[in-house]
Amino acid sequence: MEPILSLQNIYKAFGDRVVLNHVDLLIEPGEYVSIVGASGAGKSTLMNIIGLLDQNFTGTYAFNGQPLSKREHSRFRNQHLGFIFQQYNLIPSLTSKENILLPCAYASGKIQEAEQTCERMLREFGLEKQKDQPVNTLSGGEKQRIALIRSVIMDPEILLADEPTGNLDEKSGRRVRDFLQEMNLAGKTIIVVTHDLEFSNEAERRLKVEGGELHELS
Amino acid sequence: MSFRKCLRIVKNAFRMYGIYFRRNLYLTITISVSLLMFLGFAMYMDIELANQEQSYRRIQSNYIVVNCINQATTEEFNQLFHSNRRLALQHHFGSCELMNEDGEKIDAGCNLLASQQFISGISIRNGMDYLGGAEASNAFCYDTFELLCGRGQYRAANEAIISEELSSLIASKPEDALGKHIVLGLFGPTQVYVVVGVYHTTQTETRLNKESFQQLNAGINPEKSMIFTVFLPENALIGIEHPTDLYLFFQNQVEYREIMKKLQKYDAAHQVEEKMYSYRTPSENEESFEFDQATNTRTKALIMILVAVLAGISVFGTMENSISARKTEIGIKKALGAGDGAIMFEFLVENIITSLVAMLFSICLVSLALLAYTYYQRRFLAMDFVVWVYPSTIWLFLCYAFSSILGFSLIPAFRATQVNIIDTIRES
Ligand SMILES: Nc1ncnc2c1ncn2[C@@H]1O[C@H](COP(=O)(O)OP(=O)(O)OP(=O)(O)O)[C@@H](O)[C@H]1O
Ligand SMILES: [Mg+2]
C-alpha cells in the first residue's frame, strides 16, 4: 500500500541547534502512530512539519505519493488534516458552533453536511447547551471537546494531536483517547505526540524522537 | 476563490465586525472625525455656492447686468437704454427685529427703523444695497413698502427716521412719495436720500406667518416674487453720486438682440478707452457660475485628498494594532486552512465595512448639522435660500475616502497574511 504521508530526508535546525537531522517517516493509511521523546527533543517540531504548519524545512513531503506545492498547503490542511492542540487554539470571541465550523469558511462545498455533523457531535459530546456560548466562557475540558469536533468537521483523512491530554484531568483525557481510537477505527490516520506512556501504548506504532533522529519502538 | 466562498468570508467579516465592534468603534470614530472635517467644510462651500446659484438663476433669465464704474457711465447707460433699464432688487433677508402688538420681538426679513405712528414697515434700498428701513409701529400690520433711493447730500444729523407725513404718503399714495427726501444715519455720517421708487411688498411677513399672509394676499405666491424690477422714473438717477448696476430687461429674443446690438456698438465706440463698465449676459452669468462651480469642485477635491489621506492613515494605524492584537486568531485560521487570499480578503472586507459605517456616520452627522443650519436660517435669520449639497460632493467624498481607506488597508492586510502560524499557536 502506498503511504498516505511520506516525509523524506527532513532536516530542521534552529540556528546551530539541529532538531531533526535528515529524518524519514512513512505513514500508512489508517495507522495509529504515537510519538514520544524527552522534552525538547523535537516532537512538536516534527508535528508542525507533518501538519505543514511549519514550512521552513528541507526535505520532501508527499501526500498519497504526490508532492505538494506551497500554494496547496493551506487547502491541504483544510481538507485532509485535522488538528488537536494542547492549548485548544480556539478563537475566544466566537461561539462553540462558530469555532467548530470555522474550517468550513475556507472550504468549498460540504457546508450543510458539516453543520449536520456539528449538531450531531455536539449532542454526542453533551455540549448542546453550550453551542452558542463564546468559547472563552467554557471550561478546559469543554474547550478540548470543541477542539475535537472541529478537528474532524471537514472529515479529514489524518488527525494530528500534539499532547492533546496535557492539560486535562483523567476523565477528559480518557475521552480524548477514546475519541482518537474511535476515529482510528473509522479509518482515519492518527498521529499523536504524548508524554503519557499508557496513552502512547494505545497506538499500534510507536516512534521516538531522540538526538535529532527517529526510532521505531516495538 | 469561488463566489460562494467570497460570500461566506464577507458574511464572516460582518460577524467579526460585530464581535470586534468595540475595537472597530474607535476606528469608526477616528475615521468619522477626519471625514467630518472635510465633509463639513465641503458642505459649507456647497451652501455658499448654492445660494449664489439661486441668485444667478433668479436674475439671469431676463436681464443683462451692466456694472458701471463711475457716475458718468451710469448716466450714459441710463440715457442709452432708457426703455430697458430697470433696477432689479433682490430681496435680501437679513437678520432683523420686529415688534408685534404686544411689544414682543419677532423675527422678520428686514431691518426696519423707527417710525412711531406708521402702520407699515418700510425698507430702503439703493440698487442692490440695503440701506435701512422703518420699524413697525405698535399697530403692526403685514404691509411693507420698499423705497428705492438715489443718494442725496450729507447732513450732520443723527436721527434716521422717515417723517410721519412721508410714511402716510407712502401708505396712501406711493407714487407721490417719489422725489421726497429721507434722512438716514446708518453707516457713517447721516445722509439724505431721494426716493426714486416705491413698491409694495409683503414678503417679509411670509416668513412670520405664512397663513396670515395668505389670508391677506390671496392669490399671490410670495416665494416667486423674490426679485423685483422697478421701473425707474425719468430723473431717477439724477443726483446719484455713485455708480449703479443697471439691469437691462428684455422680454424676448428680439429685445435681447436689440440690447446686445446697442451694447456692441457702444463697445466699438469705446474700445480705446479704459472701460468704465462691464456687462454680463445671461449666458455669461451662467458661465461665471459654472466657473465658480468648477472652482468649488477643485477646492473640494484638494481638501478631500488631504482628508482622505488622514482617514487612510488612521485606518492604517488602527488596523496595524488590531492585527497585532488578533495574531492568534489569524494563526488559528491559517492553521485551519485559510489561505493568504482569504485572510487578506477578510481583513479588507472588515475594514471596508468599518469605513462604510464611518462614512455613513459622518454623512448623517453632517446632514443633521445641515438640517439644523437650515432650520436656524429660516427660523432666526429668516433667510429663504434653499440649503443644498451638490451630488458631486457626496460622490467625491465616497470615492476618495473609500479608495484611500482601501489603499491604506492593503499593507496591514498583507502583513496579516505573513503571521507565523507556529509562533501564534505556541503563544496561546
Ligand atoms: N522558534 C524556535 N527558535 C529556536 N529554537 C526553537 C524554536 N522552536 C523550537 N526550538 C527548540 O527546538 C527544540 C525542540 O522543540 P520542540 O518544541 O519540538 O520540543 P518538544 O519535543 O515538543 O518538547 P516538549 O515535550 O517539551 O513539548 C527545543 O530545544 C526548542 O528550544
Ligand atoms: Mg511539544
Side-chain angles (χ1 to χ4, degrees):
Chain A
M1 215 179 348
E2 192 171 20
I4 187 163
L5 283 181
S6 82
L7 287 81
Q8 278 170 332
N9 211 9
I10 301 296
Y11 177 87
K12 173 82 188 177
F14 297 103
D16 296 342
R17 172 141 171 50
V18 179
V19 179
L20 298 172
N21 195 5
H22 304 288
V23 168
D24 292 329
L25 175 63
L26 297 180
I27 289 165
E28 304 290 327
E31 256 188 328
Y32 190 159
V33 183
S34 72
I35 300 172
V36 294
S39 179
K43 304 182 295 294
S44 296
T45 307
L46 179 62
M47 277 302 261
N48 289 339
I49 291 172
I50 297 172
L52 286 175
L53 299 175
D54 185 354
Q55 294 153 356
N56 279 323
F57 60 91
T58 54
T60 57
Y61 185 106
F63 170 67
N64 283 337
Q66 299 291 317
L68 294 168
S69 75
K70 256 202 164 148
R71 284 189 58 234
E72 292 168 314
H73 284 182
S74 58
R75 216 180 64 85
F76 172 69
R77 283 197 300 269
N78 186 251
Q79 305 282 318
H80 304 288
L81 298 182
F83 293 94
I84 303 163
F85 305 95
Q86 181 179 6
Q87 325 279 6
Y88 322 128
N89 280 317
L90 301 170
I91 296 177
S93 46
L94 296 184
T95 66
S96 311
K97 202 176 158 191
E98 285 168 339
N99 262 292
I100 292 170
L101 291 174
L102 195 60
C104 307
Y106 307 107
S108 38
K110 283 193 186 175
I111 303 304
Q112 267 163 1
E113 208 181 300
E115 284 202 32
Q116 281 166 11
T117 315
C118 169
E119 295 285 345
R120 181 175 53 78
M121 293 191 73
L122 279 169
R123 259 198 313 278
E124 280 171 21
F125 278 78
L127 287 168
E128 253 177 324
K129 283 196 196 117
Q130 285 90 338
K131 72 175 179 183
D132 291 321
Q133 203 172 322
V135 293
N136 54 4
T137 61
L138 298 181
S139 75
E142 285 168 336
K143 280 185 196 165
Q144 189 61 299
R145 275 178 272 163
I146 298 294
L148 293 183
I149 303 176
R150 185 183 65 182
S151 69
V152 293
I153 197 69
M154 296 298 292
D155 196 19
E157 291 93 324
I158 305 162
L159 275 183
L160 304 178
D162 192 345
E163 294 188 30
T165 55
N167 277 346
L168 299 178
D169 60 62
E170 182 74 19
K171 192 164 164 249
S172 300
R174 187 68 248 163
R175 195 196 305 264
V176 173
R177 283 152 63 177
D178 289 348
F179 173 80
L180 288 176
Q181 248 169 3
E182 200 181 302
M183 286 299 140
N184 184 236
L185 283 177
K188 292 193 196 303
T189 309
I190 316 281
I191 305 171
V192 64
V193 166
T194 182
H195 280 126
D196 184 343
L197 203 66
E198 197 187 324
F199 186 6
S200 80
N201 283 335
E202 279 171 22
E204 59 199 30
R205 178 178 168 200
R206 297 191 299 134
L207 300 171
K208 182 167 190 182
V209 184
E210 199 167 29
E213 282 169 18
L214 198 56
H215 304 289
E216 298 273 348
L217 299 177
S218 48
Chain B
M1 260 188 288
S2 72
F3 175 71
R4 287 185 60 183
K5 203 161 142 195
C6 286
L7 209 70
R8 216 167 317 125
I9 293 178
V10 169
K11 238 174 80 184
N12 208 41
F14 257 102
R15 223 187 45 226
M16 281 315 216
Y17 178 76
I19 288 166
Y20 292 107
F21 181 72
R22 259 183 49 172
R23 184 146 51 210
N24 282 323
L25 191 67
Y26 299 129
L27 179 60
T28 312
I29 289 171
T30 339
I31 304 174
S32 300
V33 166
S34 47
L35 294 181
L36 266 176
M37 279 176 359
F38 160 73
L39 207 59
F41 194 79
M43 286 195 178
Y44 176 74
M45 283 175 65
D46 274 6
I47 294 170
E48 292 277 290
L49 190 72
N51 282 349
Q52 219 177 67
E53 180 176 351
Q54 287 168 71
S55 326
Y56 272 128
R57 299 262 175 264
R58 257 187 231 115
I59 299 175
Q60 73 162 25
S61 48
N62 294 75
Y63 297 94
I64 296 167
V65 185
V66 184
N67 310 107
C68 303
I69 287 177
N70 58 20
Q71 173 63 14
T73 324
T74 309
E75 298 273 338
E76 231 172 299
F77 273 101
N78 192 23
Q79 279 159 18
L80 197 61
F81 294 102
H82 187 76
S83 58
N84 303 101
R85 78 216 160 113
R86 297 282 195 281
L87 282 182
L89 293 181
Q90 186 179 5
H91 203 107
H92 172 85
F93 296 104
S95 65
C96 59
E97 284 178 351
L98 280 181
M99 228 90 78
N100 67 10
E101 292 112 284
D102 304 325
E104 287 168 348
K105 283 193 178 160
I106 46 178
D107 301 295
C110 298
N111 259 329
L112 303 175
L113 292 177
S115 169
Q116 270 306 311
Q117 271 109 48
F118 187 54
I119 51 154
S120 299
I122 294 180
S123 80
I124 304 160
R125 313 180 156 271
N126 178 2
M128 297 287 276
D129 291 333
Y130 172 74
L131 293 180
E135 186 193 277
S137 68
N138 288 337
F140 182 75
C141 100
Y142 287 98
D143 276 346
T144 309
F145 289 89
E146 296 246 352
L147 302 188
L148 187 62
C149 298
R151 183 182 276 190
Q153 75 250 54
Y154 293 125
R155 282 265 183 87
N158 264 335
E159 292 295 296
I161 54 162
I162 295 165
S163 70
E164 220 168 285
E165 292 93 308
L166 182 57
S167 308
S168 18
L169 193 62
I170 291 166
S172 53
K173 280 173 85 185
E175 58 283 8
D176 286 358
L178 296 183
K180 294 276 192 279
H181 287 203
I182 307 173
V183 184
L184 290 178
L186 282 169
F187 312 110
T190 306
Q191 294 158 11
V192 176
Y193 291 84
V194 183
V195 178
V196 294
V198 177
Y199 50 99
H200 188 224
T201 167
T202 33
Q203 279 197 92
T204 305
E205 274 57 64
T206 65
R207 241 127 293 286
L208 293 177
N209 187 343
K210 225 170 222 171
E211 271 169 42
S212 334
F213 171 81
Q214 273 159 354
Q215 280 161 7
L216 282 164
N217 301 277
I220 299 168
N221 182 357
E223 306 294 335
K224 288 226 168 104
S225 54
M226 299 262 295
I227 287 281
F228 309 95
T229 346
V230 180
F231 181 77
L232 297 175
E234 196 89 29
N235 58 353
L237 295 170
I238 293 171
I240 294 180
E241 283 173 357
H242 63 161
T244 306
D245 285 352
L246 281 184
Y247 285 70
L248 306 180
F249 181 73
F250 59 90
Q251 270 167 318
N252 49 40
Q253 280 305 303
V254 180
E255 280 183 29
Y256 175 73
R257 275 194 295 272
E258 259 172 38
I259 295 175
M260 285 310 289
K261 226 189 272 170
K262 271 193 198 174
L263 275 173
Q264 277 151 14
K265 224 161 101 188
Y266 190 84
D267 268 354
H270 291 76
Q271 243 168 13
V272 277
E273 300 166 29
E274 194 191 339
K275 275 200 177 175
M276 291 305 177
Y277 65 92
S278 63
Y279 60 85
R280 291 194 315 274
T281 58
S283 61
E284 280 164 350
N285 266 333
E286 181 82 45
E287 264 170 42
S288 104
F289 173 70
E290 271 161 19
F291 177 77
D292 286 350
Q293 203 165 25
T295 315
N296 175 296
T297 309
R298 253 197 309 276
T299 319
K300 277 189 303 204
L302 275 176
I303 310 166
M304 177 75 86
I305 289 176
L306 203 82
V307 178
V309 169
L310 271 180
I313 290 173
S314 56
V315 175
F316 182 81
T318 323
M319 205 170 152
E320 283 276 294
N321 279 345
S322 110
I323 283 172
S324 339
R326 284 161 66 181
K327 267 203 168 127
T328 319
E329 179 195 325
I330 299 167
I332 294 170
K333 284 179 173 171
K334 282 182 80 169
L336 296 178
D340 287 355
I343 294 278
M344 199 152 161
F345 190 70
E346 200 173 304
F347 268 89
L348 282 183
V349 170
E350 212 178 304
N351 245 40
I352 287 166
I353 298 167
T354 311
S355 325
L356 285 181
V357 171
M359 282 185 215
L360 277 182
F361 182 67
S362 43
I363 288 180
C364 288
L365 220 63
V366 173
S367 304
L368 273 181
L370 211 65
L371 277 180
Y373 178 73
T374 310
Y375 176 77
Y376 168 76
Q377 190 175 264
R378 281 178 178 260
R379 179 75 182 75
F380 297 103
L381 301 184
M383 275 163 69
D384 199 28
F385 282 123
V386 180
V387 176
W388 81 58
V389 170
Y390 292 89
S392 69
T393 305
I394 302 293
W395 284 124
L396 265 178
F397 173 73
L398 289 178
C399 294
Y400 273 30
F402 193 73
S403 47
S404 162
I405 288 167
L406 192 64
F408 274 95
S409 313
L410 281 174
I411 301 169
F414 175 74
R415 265 171 37 89
T417 65
Q418 301 302 301
V419 164
N420 187 317
I421 304 175
I422 302 169
D423 288 352
T424 57
I425 284 178
R426 227 181 242 280
E427 273 163 27
S428 78

